[in-house]
Amino acid sequence: MRGEPLKIFQGPNESELERDFTYIDDIIQGCVASVDHITPSTKEEAMYKLYNLGNKDPVTVSYLVDCLENALGKKAIRNYMPMPPTGDVLRTSADVTLAGKDLGYKPTTPLQEGINKFIEWYKDYYKNGLDRDMDEYVPM
């Protein structure tokens, strides 16, 4: 929003990195459903199950930037660059099969809709401007 270039890392042969972005309301729905399905436990034994919550449909980082541009009405300055040697995974996505089966979990919020909702919240929450900590924040 300050007009600074965005670093967008690319994989081998300028491939796009893909991420599984999930709107917070979808994650909350999964968390609440998991609490609703807790089995009784005793002091000696507590049963547990791990659930993977996410969206299951990864998109490119460039598409994320497209969605932000649409929501903000501003064009981003994109600075595509090779991924650093320390690297990262090229594609991540959640396998929500077990959560769907056990909890009825099914994320429903498309990325553009989630971004629109977030930006609406953000503008309302910071309607008087950023607080000092946020204004002085410098990413690593």
Side-chain angles (χ1 to χ4, degrees):
M1 290 183 33
R2 294 180 177 165
E4 297 172 12
L6 295 175
K7 292 179 185 176
I8 301 176
F9 294 107
Q10 295 178 311
N13 301 317
E14 298 181 355
S15 60
E16 289 272 357
L17 302 183
E18 294 182 21
R19 295 293 178 263
D20 185 4
F21 300 103
T22 311
Y23 189 61
I24 187 67
D25 287 357
D26 290 331
I27 296 297
I28 289 170
Q29 184 267 329
C31 291
V32 169
S34 69
V35 170
D36 289 344
H37 288 80
I38 292 174
T39 57
S41 55
T42 65
K43 190 173 186 179
E44 294 77 28
E45 182 177 79
M47 299 301 294
Y48 66 92
K49 240 182 187 176
L50 299 178
Y51 295 102
N52 196 4
L53 302 178
N55 189 7
K56 78 176 176 32
D57 295 316
V59 298
T60 64
V61 174
S62 289
Y63 178 70
L64 170 69
V65 174
D66 292 343
C67 290
L68 289 166
E69 288 176 336
N70 289 335
L72 294 169
K74 285 180 86 170
K75 279 291 195 195
I77 302 166
R78 299 175 191 220
N79 185 8
Y80 289 92
M81 56 184 39
M83 193 168 19
T86 52
D88 197 352
V89 291
L90 299 178
R91 184 176 200 265
T92 62
S93 66
D95 179 354
V96 298
T97 307
L98 184 62
K101 185 178 125 224
D102 287 1
L103 310 174
Y105 176 75
K106 184 177 182 194
T108 59
T109 310
L111 181 59
Q112 184 69 67
E113 181 183 329
I115 287 174
N116 292 347
K117 287 179 179 181
F118 172 76
I119 290 175
E120 185 179 309
W121 167 86
Y122 182 93
K123 286 179 176 178
D124 181 59
Y125 189 82
Y126 289 110
K127 62 182 160 267
N128 297 321
L130 295 176
D131 58 33
R132 184 174 173 194
D133 288 341
M134 285 299 295
D135 198 39
E136 293 176 358
Y137 174 75
V138 178
M140 297 174 82

